[in-house]
Amino acid sequence: MGKFIKNILIILIGFLILSQVFALFQTDTKSKEVKISDIVNLVDQEKVDSLSVTDNRVTAKVKDSDTLEYASIGPNTNIYEILDRFGLAKDKIRKANIEEKPAGAWNNFAYSILPFLLPFALVTLVIYFFMRQVQGSNNRAMSFGQSSVKLSDERKNKVKFADVAGAKEAKEELKEIVEFLRLPQKFLSLGAKIPKGVLLLGSPGVGKTMLARAVAGEANVPFFHISGSEFVEMFVGVGASRVRDLFRKAKKNAPCIVFIDEIDAVGRQRGAGLGGGHDEREQTLNQILVEMDGFETDTNVIVMAATNRPDVLDPALLRPGRFDRQVVLDLPDIKDREAILNVHAKNKPLAKDVNMRKIAERTPGFSGADLANLLNEGAIMTARRNKKEIGETELKEAVEKVMLGPERKSHILSTEEKEITAYHEAGHALVGTVLAHSDPVHKVSIISRGRAAGYTMKLPIEDRHLQTKSSFLDEIAALLGGFAAEKLVFSELTTGASNDLKVATAMARKLVMTYGMSEELGPIAFGDHHEMVFLGREISEQKNYSEEVAKKIDHEVSKIMHQGLTTAEENLKKYRTHLDAIAKRLVEEETLEQEQFNEMVKDIMPKEKQKQAAPATEAAPAPAA
């Protein structure tokens, strides 16, 4: 499209130039063509200053006027004979100041050939530009099978392991790859083969691409990167051709790293889709397999690939000789999250009172990309408030925005809805506080955010890798705290608890069917999940249990849910005074931070939670609500 517009502009400029050329050979706008007899009359009346004669034209300049009058005469015609034929006196002819100008070769060309030559030149120019367009299309067609790989020279734009916070185990594993690229002979002399492929596995946003770039930066080698989807085309054989071109370029620049992002787009298991496989995708995958296993032992080219769906990859990709190494990148723990926040905060002005540890505590399950987005949202919020430094308040609000969505200030609750929401959130917070195995409350608010009319932020103090049955049961009870509070205070239920019920029911069902924590059914996993590879998501579940067992499963799930509701109701009745106090303060102030909330419930908080909350309370004064 850009080339087409450029060509159109060139043609328009050509038209302008031609119009100027034509204007050079046109007579003045004040000239007018008359008969030869009119010019003779002017000469007879002595109204002519001068008379100029060219090969086939007589031009008269009229006295006391800027007007030029001209008349056509035959070629090689004598002007004196014409004037004499009209009977003019010789003295009047002399006063006319006749000047004869010989016609030049350029004028003959301009007036005779140019009118025919210019249209021909214009048509030729248009044809030339159309031919260039066609030639460009042919060139694109010829380069259709070439890969669109991008070369990022990490020797100039270096990303080092120090720039990638966290992922200690992954970096240790990849340091060996750096050694292979730096000193290949050290390993080849011992008969060791250079790894042909490294597969980076991890959730979206954990830093797979950044880590691959860091390997190239540490090894000081070129970095080729391409997406897996760029290989796949509708024409069979194009993807395979692009793979060959990619590896041809890589071998010319060896030692180097070839990074294929989202390799599951082209590396999915063959022959597993409904209605047959995609021939183009399978041929592309076959070519990748051949190229990877066809490397010479002394070729220093390492293929790195990234995916968050290793379960759908073809087994041939994962065998030794292809992707020899598989490096898993987990979501960062609290220490890594703090380090990642500090890395992304380097170029941002932070207030002195910002405690990154507190922000890291509020972000369990966040990836590196989420944390970068958190700091960016904090910076945007600070700029919106015309502040010069990013404060802890902005960062905490940014956490909530990333987790729950933006505040909906236009969503104003009525007085009755506000009171119901306050008791609902107070029920969640109170039950979650008095139960020993539930996560501590960090914030309670009745300000609408995202789809929620209010929210209770409960986050663990430290990262958990294992979860007990007691913690599951307490979390279910805390989820039902809002439902129980509405029922206790208003003797009426609202739709506000619909999402709580959905989450709690799913948790109870997992307790029974997945984790084997049901006393009646015992340690058995129920349900066989099947995934369709060509869709890349779970679409079916096969029942490997009878209808009688299904009835028992439903009974156990119902039992756990009722047990959680009973626990919530008992605690709310026992601490009704605290429930009313929390709800009243929420109606007045709309938000309670962790320190303010802990101050209200410290007398009923379990001892374990009091120990956890003490340092947080002493660390900084409670911010204004």
Side-chain angles (χ1 to χ4, degrees):
M1 188 64 184
K3 288 184 178 180
F4 178 75
I5 294 173
K6 179 182 175 183
N7 292 337
I8 291 295
L9 289 175
I10 292 173
I11 291 173
L12 290 175
I13 292 171
F15 272 117
L16 290 174
I17 294 172
L18 291 175
S19 65
Q20 291 298 319
V21 171
F22 274 115
L24 290 175
F25 301 104
Q26 295 297 322
T27 57
D28 193 87
T29 54
K30 295 181 180 179
S31 300
K32 66 176 182 177
E33 187 175 8
V34 295
K35 297 178 181 179
I36 188 65
S37 59
D38 294 333
I39 293 180
V40 171
N41 289 334
L42 289 173
V43 174
D44 187 36
Q45 297 170 12
E46 297 183 0
K47 293 183 178 180
V48 175
D49 270 342
S50 63
L51 203 66
S52 60
V53 183
T54 58
D55 188 37
N56 56 357
R57 176 179 290 191
V58 177
T59 305
K61 184 178 180 183
V62 182
K63 286 182 178 181
D64 302 327
S65 175
D66 294 333
T67 305
L68 296 175
E69 295 186 359
Y70 65 92
S72 299
I73 58 177
N76 302 320
T77 302
N78 193 320
I79 186 63
Y80 293 101
E81 292 179 359
I82 295 174
L83 296 176
D84 187 59
R85 194 181 307 135
F86 277 95
L88 287 180
K90 290 184 179 181
D91 59 334
K92 290 185 178 181
I93 295 175
R94 282 196 299 271
K95 290 179 181 180
N97 298 322
I98 299 174
E99 181 185 3
E100 293 185 279
K101 297 179 180 179
W106 171 248
N107 287 340
N108 288 331
F109 172 78
Y111 287 107
S112 59
I113 301 176
L114 204 59
F116 302 99
L117 182 63
L118 286 179
F120 176 76
L122 185 61
V123 172
T124 305
L125 189 65
V126 172
I127 293 174
Y128 169 73
F129 280 117
F130 276 112
M131 290 295 291
R132 284 196 62 182
Q133 290 287 336
V134 174
Q135 187 178 5
S137 301
N138 290 335
N139 289 335
R140 287 192 294 272
M142 294 298 291
S143 63
F144 197 56
Q146 295 180 5
S147 65
S148 56
V149 64
K150 303 170 189 68
L151 174 60
S152 175
D153 195 347
E154 297 302 321
R155 289 172 288 190
K156 294 180 181 178
N157 305 315
K158 287 187 177 180
V159 178
K160 295 296 189 75
F161 283 148
D163 300 319
V164 184
K168 295 176 183 176
E169 294 82 3
K171 286 192 281 190
E172 285 295 326
E173 184 74 16
L174 292 172
K175 281 180 181 177
E176 197 172 272
I177 305 299
V178 175
E179 285 294 316
F180 274 123
L181 288 167
R182 279 182 174 176
L183 304 168
Q185 201 58 39
K186 172 183 175 181
F187 298 92
L188 293 174
S189 62
L190 296 173
K193 293 182 178 180
I194 295 175
K196 295 182 173 64
V198 179
L199 186 63
L200 302 177
L201 312 174
S203 304
V206 294
K208 299 185 289 292
T209 303
M210 178 75 78
L211 202 54
R213 290 173 64 91
V215 173
E218 291 284 344
N220 200 29
V221 296
F223 181 75
F224 291 90
H225 56 100
I226 191 170
S227 171
S229 60
E230 292 183 47
F231 290 115
V232 182
E233 287 285 350
M234 65 179 293
F235 303 108
V236 177
V238 174
S241 174
R242 290 179 178 177
V243 171
R244 289 191 294 271
D245 182 67
L246 167 64
F247 284 101
R248 191 183 306 115
K249 291 176 181 176
K251 290 175 185 178
K252 288 180 181 178
N253 290 272
C256 67
I257 289 177
V258 175
F259 179 66
I260 305 174
D261 200 8
E262 304 296 345
I263 195 173
D264 51 281
V266 69
R268 288 173 178 265
Q269 188 172 350
R270 291 167 289 183
L274 295 177
H278 188 285
D279 290 338
E280 161 62 3
R281 184 182 59 78
E282 291 194 3
Q283 287 199 20
T284 306
L285 174 57
N286 291 339
Q287 190 64 48
I288 292 176
L289 299 176
V290 171
E291 290 287 346
M292 288 190 68
D293 208 19
F295 280 158
E296 298 85 357
T297 55
D298 59 344
T299 302
N300 300 347
V301 177
I302 291 181
V303 183
M304 299 188 73
T307 182
N308 49 30
R309 291 300 311 275
D311 53 312
V312 302
L313 294 180
D314 194 279
L317 265 179
L318 306 178
R319 75 159 175 81
R322 282 170 186 147
F323 283 104
D324 302 274
R325 307 292 175 89
Q326 295 182 25
V327 180
V328 179
L329 279 78
D330 297 316
L331 288 171
D333 57 22
I334 188 166
K335 292 181 180 178
D336 290 343
R337 292 199 299 274
E338 185 178 357
I340 292 170
L341 285 169
N342 287 323
V343 167
H344 290 294
K346 281 182 180 178
N347 61 343
K348 294 178 175 63
L350 294 179
K352 294 180 180 179
D353 63 337
V354 172
N355 187 340
M356 283 299 184
R357 177 73 182 189
K358 284 187 176 181
I359 305 301
E361 286 177 1
R362 292 197 173 204
T363 55
F366 274 43
S367 65
D370 292 329
L371 295 170
N373 186 37
L374 184 157
L375 282 169
N376 186 58
E377 289 290 345
I380 293 172
M381 206 172 296
T382 304
R384 194 182 298 139
R385 295 172 181 177
N386 297 317
K387 292 184 178 181
K388 300 298 182 183
E389 292 182 330
I390 304 172
E392 193 165 304
T393 304
E394 284 75 28
L395 291 179
K396 286 181 177 179
E397 288 186 34
V399 172
E400 295 167 27
K401 185 176 181 181
V402 173
M403 291 177 68
L404 303 169
E407 284 187 359
R408 293 193 297 161
K409 295 181 180 178
S410 60
H411 185 69
I412 301 174
L413 300 174
S414 65
T415 305
E416 183 183 1
E417 288 177 333
K418 196 172 184 180
E419 187 179 8
I420 293 173
T421 305
Y423 270 101
H424 183 99
E425 299 304 330
H428 283 308
L430 184 61
V431 175
T433 298
V434 298
L435 296 178
H437 300 96
S438 179
D439 293 330
V441 175
H442 281 248
K443 186 174 182 178
V444 190
S445 176
I446 58 171
I447 298 175
S448 298
R449 189 178 282 275
R451 295 184 178 181
Y455 58 95
T456 300
M457 186 184 292
K458 292 168 61 271
L459 301 170
I461 293 295
E462 56 187 8
D463 295 293
R464 290 178 183 169
H465 302 288
L466 296 174
Q467 199 161 354
T468 62
K469 181 180 179 181
S470 300
S471 65
F472 274 122
L473 295 176
D474 284 0
E475 287 298 329
I476 290 172
L479 283 166
L480 296 174
F483 181 91
E486 291 182 19
K487 185 177 179 183
L488 174 66
V489 177
F490 302 101
S491 301
E492 185 67 83
L493 298 175
T494 68
T495 58
S498 58
N499 188 63
D500 299 330
L501 295 173
K502 182 179 178 181
V503 175
T505 304
M507 194 179 292
R509 192 165 290 277
K510 277 191 173 182
L511 278 173
V512 177
M513 298 185 65
T514 305
Y515 304 133
M517 294 181 179
S518 167
E519 294 180 1
E520 182 177 346
L521 295 172
I524 304 173
F526 298 99
D528 187 11
H529 298 281
H530 289 278
E531 295 183 353
M532 304 306 292
V533 175
F534 80 104
L535 288 177
R537 61 183 299 178
E538 182 181 298
I539 63 170
S540 65
E541 176 185 283
Q542 181 180 351
K543 288 178 64 175
N544 57 1
Y545 48 89
S546 64
E547 291 299 326
E548 183 181 351
V549 173
K551 186 176 180 180
K552 290 182 179 179
I553 291 172
D554 291 340
H555 175 72
E556 282 294 292
V557 171
S558 177
K559 180 181 173 182
I560 291 172
M561 292 292 289
H562 281 91
Q563 180 183 339
L565 182 60
T566 302
T567 303
E569 289 175 342
E570 289 175 353
N571 283 285
L572 291 176
K573 288 176 183 178
K574 183 178 179 181
Y575 303 110
R576 175 65 186 267
T577 306
H578 290 80
L579 176 67
D580 293 335
I582 295 168
K584 182 180 178 182
R585 192 163 176 183
L586 279 174
V587 170
E588 294 172 354
E589 302 181 15
E590 294 187 334
T591 298
L592 290 175
E593 290 288 348
Q594 184 178 17
E595 294 80 3
Q596 296 170 299
F597 179 78
N598 287 345
E599 186 64 28
M600 296 183 69
V601 296
K602 63 182 180 181
D603 55 326
I604 60 173
M605 191 184 294
K607 292 182 179 180
E608 296 82 0
K609 289 191 175 181
Q610 287 181 4
K611 292 177 183 178
Q612 294 171 350
T617 308
E618 294 169 4

